[in-house]
Amino acid sequence: MPTTTDLSFSELRYRRLFEAAHDGILIVDPETRKIIDVNPFLEKFLGYTYEEFIGKELFEIGLLADEAANQAAFQELRKDGYIRYEDLPLRTKDGRSVDVEFVSNIYQEGDQQVIQCNIRDISARKKIENELHETKEKLAGHAAELESVVVFRTAELRLSNMQLETFVYSIAHDLRAPLRTMQGFAQLLAQEHATSLNQQGREYANFINAAAQTMDHLLADLLAFSHISQQKIELVPVAVADVIEDALSACQIDIQRSQARIKNILPWPTVMAHATTLRQVLVNLLGNALKFVATEAPQIRLWSEERPGGTVRIWVEDNGIGIPAEFQEKIFQVFQRLHTTSYAGTGIGLAIVQKGMERMSGLVGVVSAPGEGSKFWIELVKAPAPLIEPPSKGVKTS
Ligand code: ADP
């Protein structure tokens, strides 16, 4: 080790930096490839004394121990003047394995060349990296586990939903027969035994009849809801104009009775849908538009709007009583009704609309304010344009 008295001022300054450095530094003779100097940090880090370092080749202190790697490193160093290994395993004198970053430069010092190797301990960084990697793997494992639990639970829920829907269907179906009997006998009482009943008796029979009718509507709607939830649905191109015509004729009696004015605004597109379900959805929306008016005759506008992303909205606008914003989501749930006293209904109509749209991979919504009418919309994917065959040559077309 050079003593400080042998050194010039700048050499002394370099020496102090060399000795105080918190990275290992080795100086190697490129001709002999032997270590000619080493700083105290590396002595402590690898556990060799200064004397043990001096005169050794790198592989002897566990650096670039593989012969081929050693040759390649020196060749690269001569060619580029620089080599860098981000992550190199190194063995200390007492046999521990440590990870280091190794940077080496070759440069001219007076009339001779020297190699300087900087060795940085990266064990702490590697430890954090490994822990991070393990944590990420654990997290990925947990996420996969969670995902499979969600898939399993969803399947379970779907199954119990289906069982419930089947249950509702069979109850609604089976309740109808005794109900019809009750309704029939109540009617018989009111009609054929009217003379033997007093006024109150006739009223009671009529009450039974009216209640049975309400219950029958409820059961019919429940059956429709179950049916729309369970039936097999295949989406095919459907001409909306035809379904609108169909839905309007299904509502014809109510249209006439309420003296409604209907504006059917053309053109109508072709959408990917299930015609019967779409018809049911439109009948329910039209039925509500005809029903929820104050005193004036209903005015209903029907039109379509192309949306970005290849979908189409079908709008059903009325001039009715409107719906406050806070109820606009709720009314799509089963049995949610706002206007229970003044308007007849079961509270299932919009649930059928929503279920139908869900089954057709579509959307439904409403824009409304009290006293300003309502605009219900449904959204479906537009059907692709049909391929038009080019006329074959030589054939005259008219
Ligand atoms: P129902 O018509 O049998 O009451 P729906 O499920 O069709 O049941 O509708 C739920 C509720 O949403 C209705 O009771 C009513 O309060 C409100 N509603 C639906 N459509 C309209 C509309 N066009 N205008 C105003 N309110 C409406």
Side-chain angles (χ1 to χ4, degrees):
M1 197 183 328
T3 59
T4 47
T5 45
D6 306 330
L7 304 171
S8 68
F9 178 68
S10 62
E11 282 171 330
L12 187 63
R13 200 163 52 180
Y14 164 77
R15 192 74 212 162
R16 291 218 169 109
L17 283 174
F18 179 78
E19 283 175 4
H22 281 276
D23 281 340
I25 306 173
L26 276 177
I27 307 294
V28 176
D29 180 342
E31 292 307 318
T32 61
R33 297 190 179 176
K34 291 196 190 313
I35 297 169
I36 52 174
D37 204 356
V38 58
N39 75 339
F41 182 89
L42 199 62
E43 288 172 39
K44 213 166 139 204
F45 182 46
L46 295 188
Y48 296 99
T49 62
Y50 183 84
E51 289 71 25
E52 281 173 320
F53 268 110
I54 303 302
K56 282 208 170 65
E57 288 202 36
L58 292 181
F59 72 87
E60 291 179 85
I61 58 157
L63 254 176
L64 299 168
D66 176 69
E67 177 61 21
N70 197 302
Q71 288 295 345
F74 273 97
Q75 262 174 22
E76 198 180 326
L77 194 57
R78 284 202 176 282
K79 192 165 135 273
D80 302 334
Y82 171 86
I83 49 170
R84 176 165 183 258
Y85 297 103
E86 259 181 43
D87 187 355
L88 206 63
L90 199 63
R91 208 156 274 288
T92 61
K93 192 180 170 189
D94 60 10
R96 278 179 302 115
S97 174
V98 284
D99 299 306
V100 296
E101 182 184 337
F102 180 87
V103 180
S104 189
N105 295 285
I106 188 160
Y107 61 90
Q108 201 71 29
E109 198 180 81
D111 54 359
Q112 69 176 48
Q113 284 193 316
V114 289
I115 294 171
Q116 177 176 326
C117 308
N118 285 51
I119 295 161
R120 172 166 293 170
D121 179 10
I122 57 163
S123 313
R125 195 185 81 198
K126 283 271 298 212
K127 189 166 169 261
I128 291 172
E129 276 173 8
N130 285 343
E131 281 170 3
L132 206 70
H133 182 71
E134 273 172 29
T135 311
K136 270 189 187 160
E137 286 205 330
K138 266 190 206 152
L139 264 177
H142 287 322
E145 213 172 286
L146 207 69
E147 178 71 24
S148 64
V149 171
V150 169
V151 168
F152 180 71
R153 292 272 153 80
T154 311
E156 266 188 344
L157 260 177
R158 206 166 276 153
L159 184 69
S160 67
N161 246 349
M162 269 167 60
Q163 285 167 341
L164 258 179
E165 276 161 6
T166 314
F167 180 65
V168 168
Y169 185 85
S170 64
I171 288 207
H173 184 265
D174 293 354
L175 281 180
R176 269 189 127 181
L179 184 69
R180 289 254 160 85
T181 314
M182 281 161 61
Q183 199 178 3
F185 281 109
Q187 270 168 2
L188 278 178
L189 260 183
Q191 287 160 12
E192 296 184 16
H193 299 269
T195 47
S196 48
L197 290 172
N198 62 14
Q199 174 66 17
Q200 204 172 36
R202 281 196 296 276
E203 264 177 29
Y204 288 168
N206 284 335
F207 286 152
I208 297 173
N209 198 15
Q213 216 163 18
T214 307
M215 195 163 160
D216 194 49
H217 286 151
L218 190 65
L219 292 177
D221 277 357
L222 273 176
L223 282 173
F225 182 71
S226 298
H227 183 66
I228 219 160
S229 310
Q230 291 180 344
Q231 73 178 329
K232 201 170 166 289
I233 277 190
E234 205 184 318
L235 301 184
V236 293
V238 172
V240 178
D242 295 346
V243 186
I244 294 270
E245 280 302 323
D246 222 7
L248 282 172
S249 49
C251 298
Q252 205 48 45
I253 293 176
D254 288 336
I255 292 174
Q256 277 170 6
R257 191 186 296 141
S258 60
Q259 298 182 323
R261 280 209 355 243
I262 313 278
K263 245 193 186 167
N264 181 356
I265 301 169
L266 304 177
W268 287 106
T270 301
V271 293
M272 296 307 291
H274 179 255
T276 323
T277 305
L278 182 58
R279 177 184 180 277
Q280 170 87 70
V281 164
L282 287 169
V283 166
N284 287 15
L285 292 179
L286 278 169
N288 283 347
L290 289 163
K291 180 164 63 169
F292 292 106
V293 279
T295 46
E296 67 280 31
Q299 288 182 27
I300 300 173
R301 266 166 36 99
L302 305 166
W303 80 96
S304 74
E305 174 203 6
E306 293 219 2
R307 306 276 301 172
T311 57
V312 175
R313 266 189 191 181
I314 300 168
W315 290 85
V316 179
E317 179 183 355
D318 64 47
N319 61 334
I321 53 179
I323 304 155
E326 64 270 29
F327 296 112
Q328 289 175 8
E329 251 182 55
K330 245 182 158 185
I331 51 171
F332 289 95
Q333 294 167 16
V334 182
F335 300 137
Q336 294 295 332
R337 307 188 67 222
L338 300 185
H339 315 97
T340 43
T341 45
S342 336
Y343 301 91
T346 59
I348 304 175
L350 286 181
I352 291 176
V353 169
Q354 182 156 59
K355 180 58 88 176
M357 292 314 298
E358 188 188 302
R359 297 290 325 270
M360 292 191 289
S361 308
L363 296 169
V364 58
V366 63
V367 181
S368 182
E372 291 177 20
S374 304
K375 284 193 257 180
F376 279 85
W377 56 263
I378 56 170
E379 192 169 319
L380 286 161
V381 172
K382 196 174 176 217
L387 284 178
I388 299 168
E389 298 245 338
S392 49
K393 275 194 186 136
V395 177
K396 230 178 144 194
T397 52
S398 54

